[in-house]
Amino acid sequence: MTLADLKNGETAKIHRLMGDETSKRRLMALGIVKGKEISLEVKAPMGDPRIYSILGYRLTIRNEDARNILVDS
């Protein structure tokens, strides 16, 4: 399951990052690291981007990037 599959209010643990090294480093710098819990707060009207809650702050991630984040529900 990827982060893009979460529904509003659902929480999951980050399992693995996929994609190129530059994208992985950018996501890790934002706090997207293995084992951290992340939840979907809201989707934009057209579904992209989405606002997630992680480490006590809100983070906006495009669906394209969210599909590269594997999570465990």
Side-chain angles (χ1 to χ4, degrees):
M1 161 177 202
T2 71
L3 190 60
D5 298 322
L6 286 185
K7 295 183 177 27
N8 283 351
E10 274 190 318
T11 299
K13 270 192 179 175
I14 297 168
H15 176 68
R16 182 175 167 209
L17 300 180
M18 301 187 325
D20 61 72
E21 288 302 314
T22 302
S23 296
K24 287 181 189 178
R25 275 188 250 133
R26 184 176 55 82
L27 291 170
M28 286 191 291
L30 295 171
I32 308 293
V33 293
K34 184 177 180 177
K36 296 296 177 189
E37 287 194 349
I38 188 167
S39 61
L40 176 61
E41 288 198 11
V42 67
K43 297 177 188 173
M46 298 299 286
D48 191 24
R50 297 173 176 197
I51 298 174
Y52 297 90
S53 177
I54 183 170
L55 301 172
Y57 67 93
R58 299 170 93 196
L59 178 66
T60 302
I61 301 176
R62 296 175 297 168
N63 285 341
E64 177 183 337
D65 292 325
R67 284 190 286 271
N68 286 328
I69 303 168
L70 299 181
V71 296
D72 296 323
S73 55

